Amino acid sequence: MGTAVLNDYFVLKFGHCALKDCAARVVATVVSDVVPGQVIIDVGSKALSAKQLLRHENLEMGYIVEFPDAGITRLHEEHGWVGVSRCNRPPNVGQRMSIVPVNVSLCTNLYDHFYLLTPSGKLQKERVDARGCFV
């Protein structure tokens, strides 16, 4: 599954879809807010596929839906640094946020399960049958 079906931040950034058309999100939890203007999340380069978007000297590593003024500034394998100094109300420890990945094709390859949002608003867990398989 890829960009043509799910859309991603690359497609959104260049105006080829609206945010509502980006079907995939990586859900992160804030694990630290010790440094003013910055939080640490439990999502890193593995979960977001380490794909970056560089445009006009601005490095972007995903779009945080609930905090559009925040920006992921650095990724390690399992954690991310998020600049939140521009947010009116920055996130707190334990708060969850959803991130539209820069390249959804690379990102979806990394998971054994997905949660689908049903028309009634419930999350439904689905196993990825072909995970790790080659044709």
Side-chain angles (χ1 to χ4, degrees):
M1 224 182 309
T3 303
V5 176
L6 301 173
N7 292 313
D8 54 27
Y9 187 47
F10 185 85
V11 176
L12 176 66
K13 180 77 175 180
F14 292 102
H16 300 292
C17 74
L19 180 59
K20 68 176 181 58
D21 301 320
C22 294
R25 306 281 194 280
V26 175
V27 178
T29 303
V30 175
V31 295
S32 174
D33 62 358
V34 173
V35 176
Q38 172 184 285
V39 298
I40 307 295
I41 56 175
D42 65 349
V43 167
S45 61
K46 286 182 178 180
L48 290 173
S49 76
K51 182 71 175 179
Q52 302 166 352
L53 175 62
L54 179 61
R55 183 169 186 219
H56 304 298
E57 305 302 319
N58 294 320
L59 181 64
E60 299 183 69
M61 295 176 249
Y63 178 78
I64 303 172
V65 177
E66 298 81 5
F67 300 93
D69 294 326
I72 302 168
T73 59
R74 187 166 128 197
L75 292 174
H76 282 207
E77 286 185 1
E78 296 170 349
H79 292 92
W81 282 250
V82 179
V84 295
S85 60
R86 293 182 172 178
C87 298
N88 290 333
R89 297 182 68 184
N92 299 312
V93 171
Q95 193 165 356
R96 299 184 94 183
M97 56 179 67
S98 54
I99 302 169
V100 177
V102 171
N103 187 322
V104 73
S105 299
L106 298 175
C107 192
T108 56
N109 181 43
L110 302 173
Y111 296 93
D112 294 325
H113 295 89
F114 290 96
Y115 290 88
L116 304 175
L117 188 62
T118 66
S120 65
K122 292 185 179 184
L123 289 176
Q124 178 178 321
K125 187 175 183 178
E126 293 290 333
R127 183 173 169 268
V128 178
D129 292 329
R131 170 79 165 107
C133 298
F134 291 99
V135 177

